[in-house]
Amino acid sequence: MVFLIEIIDINQENIHEKGFFCMRSKPKSQGYQKKLAWLNERFQEGLHLKIIEDNGHPKGFIEYIPSEYNWRGICGTNYMVIHCLWIVGKGKGKGYGSSLLNACLNHAKTLNKSGVAMVTSSETWLSDKSFFIKYGFKSVDIAPPCFELIVNSFDNHSIPHFNHGWEQRAEKYSQGITIIRADQCPYFEEAVNLILEVASEREIPSKVIHIENCKDAQNAPSAYGVFNILLNGELLTYHPINKRELNKLLDNYESKRLNG
């Protein structure tokens, strides 16, 4: 049996045929369609999306973009920023992640970039830095509550850094629940609807602010950039959660407020 592993570059010409890996089973959902529209705009800004297939079966993907157009809380020039590197559960440990990361690093070098950067975390769904350290990445900055910025530098160009000032930016949203989100992840749509539902049940004022461009993402109240849930001017969470988890966060917040 011949095993064929192939890395496919996704672009405006083939994305409707190949998809973009996430939510492939729900192409008509709002989340999928919004991500699709978001990608088509980002391709024009230099975004690259690669899917790795094993005998025609998608196993993972990597999404990266020039640092000037990144959708994380990162400032920097002439770097590539990885938004996501994801391998499906059963595909982990088979070299797919290494193949995608090396493809990104080599591509950045051919474009004369000064390196590659990524936001990581050991406490969230984001990739842990331990995998990347093996490929020459180093930690260069941290951000609350658990984010690290790692870079693989190719030359002496100034390295990227986090756009600090998270609390000051969060304080502007002092009334009720504020959801600041982009369309970079198709799972955000369902998460936003759930949060609005819980806010309504608990009679908490709520609103949604849509991130329209990379500069707004770079100046978001968290280093993750594209998904921020604030409660009375404080960052409550930065990733989709279920109703039980959200209610627990709200209960804890209320308990702390009552107990001074």
Side-chain angles (χ1 to χ4, degrees), residues 134-147:
K134 296 182 292 185
Y135 295 90
F137 284 79
K138 296 180 180 179
S139 179
V140 300
D141 205 354
I142 59 174
C146 57
F147 296 111

Side-chain angles (χ1 to χ4, degrees), residues 180-181 188 191-192 195 222 224-229 237-240:
I180 304 176
R181 57 76 55 97
F188 290 166
V192 168
I195 293 165
S222 79
Y224 182 49
V226 290
F227 194 80
N228 313 265
I229 309 303
T237 186
Y238 39 83
H239 62 90

Side-chain angles (χ1 to χ4, degrees), residues 23 26-35 186 189 193:
M23 290 188 73
K26 299 180 179 180
K28 295 183 179 180
S29 66
Q30 281 194 327
Y32 188 96
Q33 289 299 314
K34 287 185 176 182
K35 170 72 174 186
E189 193 69 18
N193 291 334

Side-chain angles (χ1 to χ4, degrees), residues 23-229:
M23 290 188 73
R24 288 168 59 92
S25 63
K26 299 180 179 180
K28 295 183 179 180
S29 66
Q30 281 194 327
Y32 188 96
Q33 289 299 314
K34 287 185 176 182
K35 170 72 174 186
L36 181 63
W38 184 88
L39 280 171
N40 279 317
E41 292 183 7
R42 304 289 80 74
F43 286 139
Q44 301 173 41
E45 298 172 347
L47 180 140
H48 297 273
L49 175 63
K50 299 178 185 293
I51 292 177
I52 190 167
E53 292 186 353
D54 192 335
N55 287 316
H57 300 289
K59 299 298 182 179
F61 74 98
I62 189 169
E63 175 186 306
Y64 56 97
I65 195 168
S67 52
E68 293 82 355
Y69 297 99
N70 84 87
W71 286 60
R72 299 290 184 260
I74 299 173
C75 297
T77 60
N78 203 44
Y79 267 69
M80 281 294 186
V81 171
I82 299 172
H83 284 159
C84 301
L85 172 58
W86 187 258
I87 304 300
V88 69
K90 293 183 178 180
K92 293 180 179 179
K94 298 182 179 180
Y96 302 134
S98 297
S99 296
L100 287 171
L101 181 58
N102 281 324
C104 171
L105 291 169
N106 291 333
H107 189 198
K109 290 176 182 177
T110 65
L111 295 174
N112 293 316
K113 297 297 182 182
S114 294
V116 176
M118 185 178 185
V119 178
T120 65
S121 175
S122 60
E123 299 180 21
T124 72
W125 74 106
L126 293 176
S127 301
D128 185 79
K129 70 176 182 180
S130 59
F131 170 76
F132 298 88
I133 297 300
K134 296 182 292 185
Y135 295 90
F137 284 79
K138 296 180 180 179
S139 179
V140 300
D141 205 354
I142 59 174
C146 57
F147 296 111
E148 284 192 64
L149 178 60
I150 59 173
V151 303
N152 183 323
S153 297
F154 307 153
D155 56 31
N156 293 323
H157 187 82
S158 58
I159 62 174
H161 58 86
F162 278 135
N163 186 19
H164 294 276
W166 323 106
E167 291 184 2
Q168 294 89 330
R169 292 194 286 273
E171 288 173 355
K172 296 186 294 184
Y173 308 100
S174 58
Q175 300 296 320
I177 290 178
T178 303
I179 305 167
I180 304 176
R181 57 76 55 97
D183 293 331
Q184 192 252 330
C185 175
Y187 297 104
F188 290 166
E189 193 69 18
E190 183 177 339
V192 168
N193 291 334
L194 181 150
I195 293 165
L196 292 175
E197 182 181 334
V198 171
S200 177
E201 292 171 354
R202 298 180 70 126
E203 298 183 342
I204 302 173
S206 61
K207 63 179 178 180
V208 179
I209 297 175
H210 196 268
I211 298 176
E212 300 285 354
N213 57 70
C214 62
K215 295 304 179 185
D216 286 344
Q218 292 168 21
N219 287 282
S222 79
Y224 182 49
V226 290
F227 194 80
N228 313 265
I229 309 303

